[in-house]
Amino acid sequence: MTTNPHSDLLSIAGKTYRSRLLTGTGKFKDLEETRLATEASGTEIVTVAIRRSNIGQDASQPNLLDVLPLSRYTILPNTAGCFNADDAVRTCRLARELLDGQTLVKLEVLADTKTLFPDVVETIKATEILVREGFHVMVYTNDDPILAKRFEEMGCVAVMPLAAPIGSGLGIRNPYNILTIVENAKVPILVDAGVGTASDAAIAMELGCAGVLMNTAIAGAKNPVLMASAMRKAIEAGREAFLAGRIPRKRFASASSPLDGTFF
């Protein structure tokens, strides 16, 4: 484990990144706010809902890539809004066409509109097809250690367990599940969904996660640009704390200054 945060890079599908914060592009009031918040976050990977965003499908509408250019960001197309494997696979194929053959995608197949929990069966079906077709899949799933390992074994380049329901802001509800997933993984584990504030992001990183993806926590804040900056610092602080190695938890006090060799 490196102790130099400046050489501590995130690697996904053979490409390295300095930032471990991934951000979304939905829910901002306009493209200018999207641009400013994204810049403040320091992110290098920006996820885009292909079914809800214009990145070239409609020449008459504002293009997201005008404010988030491919020369500066890795655009991570996602399948938000898909409720079955067929739609998710079709959306990934469309993204590959729109982004000149890019194969890195975020796969999410939702079970229903109330919980927005993943439909695991449909997600597995979509994963099998996409991996077979040469896509590099970053998969959204439950915080289930068994499922997380299954997706890794299927060939996903990153596994993204939820911290809490999408957009809930509840923070990490099952930290020991996340910890178990991280400890057993050989691919990056990135918390996805449920982060509400900077301390949630820091906790995810202190658990050893490779990164955090968030949208609502930033875009839904009263001041999205300021919150984006806060999240950037939280991710960095949490990662450094993980690398530093925290002290063990103890039931009773432990003196800060040793008593051995003191004079009374």
Side-chain angles (χ1 to χ4, degrees), residues 23 42 52 75 85 95 105 116 161 167 174 201:
T23 62
R52 300 169 181 165
I75 302 298
V105 294
L116 298 182
N174 294 303

Side-chain angles (χ1 to χ4, degrees), residues 115-190:
T115 68
L116 298 182
F117 282 141
D119 184 323
V120 174
V121 174
E122 291 296 302
T123 302
I124 289 173
K125 289 180 183 178
T127 300
E128 290 174 339
I129 296 169
L130 292 171
V131 170
R132 187 165 62 243
E133 293 186 4
F135 283 92
H136 294 97
V137 178
M138 300 173 66
V139 64
Y140 166 69
T141 185
N142 291 321
D143 57 352
D144 181 333
I146 306 303
L147 273 174
K149 193 64 180 179
R150 171 73 181 276
F151 282 119
E152 176 187 322
E153 292 169 349
M154 291 175 68
C156 293
V157 298
V159 178
M160 308 178 74
L162 55 81
I166 291 173
S168 68
L170 290 173
I172 298 176
R173 296 294 84 199
N174 294 303
Y176 291 105
N177 280 26
I178 299 295
L179 181 61
T180 301
I181 291 171
V182 170
E183 289 176 339
N184 292 331
K186 296 180 180 178
V187 297
I189 303 299
L190 300 97

Side-chain angles (χ1 to χ4, degrees), residues 101-116:
Q102 178 177 308
T103 57
L104 183 66
V105 294
K106 180 199 168 189
L107 172 64
E108 58 180 77
V109 185
L110 305 178
D112 58 57
T113 57
K114 181 178 181 180
T115 68
L116 298 182

